[in-house]
Each structure stands twice: as C-alpha cells, then as structure tokens.
Amino acid sequence: VIFPSIFMGNVFPIVSRYIYDKDIRLGSAFQKSFDFLIFLAMPVVVGVIFTAHQIIEIVGGQDFVTAHTIPPVFGVPATSAFSLQILIVAVGISFLSHLFGYTIIALGKQSKLIWPNLALVFFNIILNLILIPKISYIGAAIVTVLTEFLVVFLYFQVMRRYLKLKIHLGILWKVLIAGIILGLALYLLRFLSLWFLIPIGGVTYILSLWLVGGISREMILGVIKIKWLISN
C-alpha cells in the first residue's frame, strides 16, 4: 500500500500544475503514471499469492500456516495464507484507486467523493454482515476485494466527469504475460527460501517485461523526469 502513496505523492504536484495550467502534457503524465502503477502492482500481487505460505511461516510460525477455524471455502483450506492471497488482490487494485483519487484532489473535486464514499461504507458493511456469518474471515477478505473494485469504478467515474482523458491499456497484456512467467517461476522454485525467491522473482519479472516491451527507455526517463521536476 505504501508504493502507490509514495509514487502519487511525488506525481501529485506535477499533475496539479498541468491541470491548473491546462498543459497538454497532462495526458502523457497521467498515462505514464497509470502504466507505472500497473507495472508495480502485478509483481506485488503475483509474488504474494505464490509465497503466501512462506510469508505466514515467517510471521506466525509453521503451525499458523495450516491452522484454520472454519471448513474449507471453495474447496480451499481457510488458512491465514488463503486470506492473505485474497487480500493482496485488494492491495493491487488500490494502486489504481490512489491514481484516480489523487487526480480528483488535484482537480479540486474531492467534495464529489462524499456520496461515493458513503455508498462504499454501506456496501462494505452490508456485505460483511452477509458473508462473515457464512465464511468468517474469508468473507471479510472477499468483501475487501469487492469494495476496492467498487472504489476504483466510482473514483474513475467521478474523475472522468471532470477530466476527459483517454487511457491506453496496452500495458495490461504485457504485465499479464510477465506476471504469468513470474508466477510460473515462483511455483517451480517454491522449495527455495523466501529470501531467494524475492530477488529471483524480481529479476524474472523485469526481464520478462523487458522482453515483451513493457519496460521502455521512455518509461524510465519519464520517472526520472518526474523526480527532477519535483526537486526543481
């Protein structure tokens, strides 16, 4: 969750300036931010899904990896690792909600989020009341993911009402391919320690993304330029 907050905290002054000045570079800055956040979100989601058991073992010990207090859900043991695998999807989705949310604030339209946020609160509470009695903490995790999906949808609708930007989705299939390769590598090497899997996974993802054209010289230079603009 820290990643998109830090990134958008850095991008926010640039986007605000472009909006205020009606600068034609706004579209390019927004697209680069979108691409970069998607690029960051995929390895976080895939990496945690395939290493959830190792993470839980480090945090809580081996007994905590297999422990569960309710019957299997969807045929999967309701362990803490399963909960983590569900919740990390919500974290990945939140990368985009940060982008849309910060952009709405840069537009000065944050007051327009009051009703969507109120709707999100009711949606979350009602769905929790329905699912928690049935599947306990797994239900709560699922509600978190569904709520985050709705956050992205509603925030995007609000943003689009005041900012007409065309978002190109070409990055999606590239990070999807790189994510599949990353997941396959982590699955085949699951016998290794987490401390080996993290660097191996990082290198695998970056190389895969480079080969399919998901990482370009322009993207790297764009991120460097954002840092330079902020520092000056």
Side-chain angles (χ1 to χ4, degrees), residues 6 12 30-31 56 87 91 141 152 156 177 182 196 216 220:
I6 293 175
F12 182 77
F30 185 90
Q31 183 66 54
I56 294 299
L87 286 169
V91 173
V152 169
F156 176 73
I177 292 175
L182 170 60
F196 289 105
S216 64
I220 297 172

Side-chain angles (χ1 to χ4, degrees), residues 2 7 21 44 50 71 97 106 141 147 159 168 173-174 187 198 203:
I2 291 175
F7 179 74
D21 294 339
V44 172
F50 281 91
S97 63
T147 301
M159 184 193 75
H168 300 282
W173 73 265
K174 297 175 183 178
Y187 176 77
I198 291 174
V203 172

Side-chain angles (χ1 to χ4, degrees), residues 148-228:
E148 200 59 52
F149 264 118
L150 191 57
V151 168
V152 169
F153 175 77
L154 292 178
Y155 279 27
F156 176 73
Q157 295 302 318
V158 173
M159 184 193 75
R160 190 173 64 170
R161 191 184 308 164
Y162 302 100
L163 186 63
K164 304 300 181 184
L165 287 177
K166 186 176 181 180
I167 304 175
H168 300 282
L169 304 178
I171 190 68
L172 292 179
W173 73 265
K174 297 175 183 178
V175 298
L176 182 59
I177 292 175
I180 291 172
I181 295 173
L182 170 60
L184 182 62
L186 293 175
Y187 176 77
L188 294 175
L189 299 174
R190 62 189 182 279
F191 57 87
L192 293 177
S193 165
L194 182 64
W195 311 116
F196 289 105
L197 289 176
I198 291 174
I200 291 173
V203 172
T204 300
Y205 180 73
I206 291 174
L207 285 178
S208 301
L209 203 55
W210 184 275
L211 289 174
V212 297
I215 298 179
S216 64
R217 181 171 175 268
E218 288 73 22
M219 177 187 285
I220 297 172
L221 291 176
V223 174
I224 295 174
K225 184 178 179 181
I226 287 173
K227 292 291 186 181
W228 181 84

Side-chain angles (χ1 to χ4, degrees), residues 16-34:
S16 298
R17 186 190 310 171
Y18 287 170
I19 290 174
Y20 181 78
D21 294 339
K22 295 182 172 55
D23 198 308
I24 59 173
R25 291 175 293 178
L26 173 62
S28 175
F30 185 90
Q31 183 66 54
K32 288 176 181 176
S33 299
F34 177 86

Side-chain angles (χ1 to χ4, degrees), residues 31-168:
Q31 183 66 54
K32 288 176 181 176
S33 299
F34 177 86
D35 290 350
F36 192 67
L37 288 171
I38 294 291
F39 160 76
L40 285 178
M42 181 60 74
V44 172
V45 174
V46 174
V48 172
I49 286 176
F50 281 91
T51 61
H53 288 83
Q54 290 99 319
I55 293 172
I56 294 299
E57 184 176 1
I58 291 173
V59 174
Q62 180 59 42
D63 291 339
F64 203 55
V65 174
T66 56
H68 54 89
T69 60
I70 60 173
V73 178
F74 310 125
V76 180
T79 62
S80 52
F82 186 36
S83 297
L84 178 59
Q85 289 169 328
I86 296 171
L87 286 169
I88 197 62
V89 175
V91 173
I93 299 169
S94 74
F95 279 45
L96 288 182
S97 63
H98 276 81
L99 173 62
F100 300 150
Y102 270 84
T103 303
I104 291 169
I105 294 172
L107 288 164
K109 301 297 182 180
Q110 55 266 37
S111 63
K112 304 301 180 181
L113 294 176
I114 293 175
W115 287 110
N117 283 332
L118 188 61
L120 288 165
V121 169
F122 281 104
F123 174 82
N124 186 275
I125 292 174
I126 292 171
L127 213 54
N128 269 307
L129 290 174
I130 294 172
L131 290 185
I132 288 178
K134 298 180 182 297
I135 48 178
S136 189
Y137 46 89
I138 300 298
I142 292 172
V143 172
T144 302
V145 174
L146 295 177
T147 301
E148 200 59 52
F149 264 118
L150 191 57
V151 168
V152 169
F153 175 77
L154 292 178
Y155 279 27
F156 176 73
Q157 295 302 318
V158 173
M159 184 193 75
R160 190 173 64 170
R161 191 184 308 164
Y162 302 100
L163 186 63
K164 304 300 181 184
L165 287 177
K166 186 176 181 180
I167 304 175
H168 300 282

